[in-house]
Amino acid sequence: MEYRYLAKTIVRNKKGLYLVLRRSATDSDSPGRADLPGGGIDEDENPHEAAVREAVEEAGLDIDNDSLQLRYAFTKPEEDKVIVRYLYRAQIDDQVVTLSHEHDLFWWVDRAEFVALFVDTSWGEAVSFLDDNNLL
């Protein structure tokens, strides 16, 4: 059985708004869909390190290790693989968002809109749980 490990980060700014990225139309994985900074965990890194690296690569964000907190982890068996997902949250000061080729747009939204955007995604269960338990 193949295992795939992913780490994503919910990014919140000082105003209490949440960062949402949009997958590029040319991206092979869910083009046009709302997304969070994050991705695959490399063999030589732990989930925390991957979350920090991916935030830099995908959004140009400098995530402070002290502000990065694991909020949710879950495993989802699929047909021929198992996906292990780690969802972090980070608080940032004012920073410029610089997108990679994987995303073509970003915006900041309030909590209700953030939750609504992710309900029908693979991260929806985690985001809903965090919202329901005041952990966003």
Side-chain angles (χ1 to χ4, degrees):
M1 175 92 36
E2 175 191 350
Y3 280 78
R4 185 167 179 217
Y5 299 89
L6 303 171
K8 297 242 181 196
T9 303
I10 296 169
V11 178
R12 192 173 123 183
N13 68 17
K14 290 191 304 188
K15 297 175 185 172
L17 299 176
Y18 297 86
L19 178 65
V20 178
L21 309 178
R22 184 177 72 184
R23 302 291 297 184
S24 173
T26 59
D27 192 78
S28 61
D29 185 28
S30 304
R33 179 168 262 188
D35 197 16
L36 300 168
I41 300 171
D42 292 341
E43 231 176 83
D44 62 338
E45 65 186 351
N46 63 47
H48 186 98
E49 293 166 336
V52 170
R53 175 183 53 78
E54 289 283 349
V56 171
E57 288 178 6
E58 294 189 355
L61 298 176
D62 182 22
I63 301 292
D64 178 7
N65 278 329
D66 293 337
S67 82
L68 189 68
Q69 300 172 341
L70 180 63
R71 293 293 199 193
Y72 197 92
F74 62 106
T75 303
K76 183 179 179 188
E78 294 189 355
E79 290 178 23
D80 57 346
K81 63 185 168 195
V82 175
I83 300 178
V84 181
R85 299 172 190 266
Y86 298 89
L87 186 55
Y88 289 85
R89 191 193 78 176
Q91 182 83 26
I92 64 167
D93 292 329
D94 293 330
Q95 293 187 35
V96 174
V97 176
T98 305
L99 298 176
S100 73
H101 69 279
E102 294 178 49
H103 301 94
D104 61 10
L105 183 69
F106 75 91
W107 63 104
W108 295 95
V109 298
D110 65 22
R111 183 176 176 152
E113 187 175 358
F114 179 80
V115 172
L117 283 166
F118 287 95
V119 164
D120 293 327
T121 71
S122 56
W123 296 90
E125 179 182 324
V127 169
S128 294
F129 175 86
L130 295 177
D131 182 47
D132 291 346
N133 291 281
N134 204 29
L135 296 170
L136 282 176

